[in-house]
Amino acid sequence: MSMTEVNAFQSSQVPREWWAIYTRHQHEKSVAEKFSTHGLEVFLPLYKAIRQWKDRQKQLSLPLFPCYVFLRGESQLRVHVLATPGVHSIVMSADRPAAIPDTDIEAIRRVVDSPLKVEPHPFLRRGDCVRIKSGPLAGIEGILIRRKNSYRLILSAAVLQKSIAVEVDAFCIEPLARRLREAHFSSVRPRSGLQEYPLL
């Protein structure tokens, strides 16, 4: 992508939406760096994980959503995005990039930026719905689960069919009416077409 094209994009009055970019295996960081280098707004949520080798342990920063990078874009960027080395495809819905609401990106960003432990979690669609009352995640809603002596809030990205879990204090949550609500994310399988699912 040339600087002229990037500048034209940045000055465009067309509303930009968050997209999910499907990358090749272990290319998330390089793809995000290329987008950022070209002045595009990109979000790659990471978490800390300990990996054990024969002689040592090492802490790594790994993608919360393996093989996915979030990009704020608009229609003129599609060709350039797909031409970026390491990009496999754009997650689509009805022949256009599946739009991800700002509120969902902001919820994930707040979780990642908080001091709380966060990690990937098997995809969940329904459960006990709760809201965080206080602390760095105040106002965020999700599914509550219990693991041993701790509680975790599950945020599900239906468009990716993936979830993440963040540890929360039981005294900082309040129950919501048990319900199903429409997914903020349009739900698609990147390789096999559109399928809709509820979130929470």
Side-chain angles (χ1 to χ4, degrees):
M1 185 186 304
S2 69
M3 288 305 299
T4 300
E5 290 166 328
V6 170
N7 290 337
F9 159 75
Q10 291 174 329
S11 62
S12 172
Q13 298 302 310
V14 178
R16 292 179 290 159
E17 300 173 322
W18 282 103
W19 301 343
I21 308 301
Y22 186 51
T23 74
R24 301 191 185 282
H25 181 57
Q26 295 184 343
H27 280 68
E28 303 93 342
K29 292 182 181 180
S30 64
V31 167
E33 184 177 355
K34 289 182 175 69
F35 288 156
S36 181
T37 298
H38 286 108
L40 304 180
E41 188 174 357
V42 62
F43 177 41
L44 175 59
L46 303 172
Y47 74 103
K48 302 293 185 182
I50 302 295
R51 291 294 183 264
Q52 179 69 56
W53 277 265
K54 289 183 178 180
D55 59 339
R56 61 190 173 95
Q57 287 185 337
K58 185 175 182 180
Q59 180 173 272
L60 303 175
S61 293
L62 302 175
L64 260 178
F65 301 99
C67 292
Y68 290 96
V69 170
F70 298 107
L71 172 71
R72 190 188 285 274
E74 47 96 356
S75 58
Q76 296 178 2
L77 279 180
R78 288 174 58 177
V79 173
H80 301 297
V81 168
L82 292 172
T84 302
V87 169
H88 183 280
S89 61
I90 301 173
V91 177
M92 305 290 286
S93 174
D95 297 325
R96 65 184 304 276
I100 302 173
D102 291 354
T103 52
D104 293 318
I105 295 295
E106 180 59 24
I108 297 172
R109 195 187 300 275
R110 286 179 62 190
V111 167
V112 172
D113 290 343
S114 77
L116 305 173
K117 181 181 179 181
V118 60
E119 62 186 11
H121 188 277
F123 182 58
L124 292 181
R125 297 176 191 160
R126 66 182 68 184
D128 293 324
C129 299
V130 299
R131 178 188 294 115
I132 304 297
K133 295 188 299 183
S134 59
L137 305 184
I140 291 180
E141 299 178 7
I143 300 172
L144 182 69
I145 66 168
R146 179 183 293 180
R147 177 176 293 181
K148 295 183 180 179
N149 296 322
S150 66
Y151 289 90
R152 298 190 180 196
L153 183 75
I154 308 300
L155 302 179
S156 294
V159 70
L160 310 182
Q161 294 195 29
K162 295 180 181 294
S163 298
I164 61 175
V166 57
E167 291 186 354
V168 295
D169 187 333
F171 294 100
C172 295
I173 59 178
E174 60 183 356
L176 298 175
R178 190 175 184 88
R179 72 200 188 282
L180 293 179
R181 63 187 174 88
E182 292 184 0
H184 289 312
F185 291 7
S186 301
S187 301
V188 295
R189 295 181 183 274
R191 303 190 188 195
S192 60
L194 177 66
Q195 295 190 11
E196 295 185 358
Y197 298 99
L199 176 66
L200 303 191

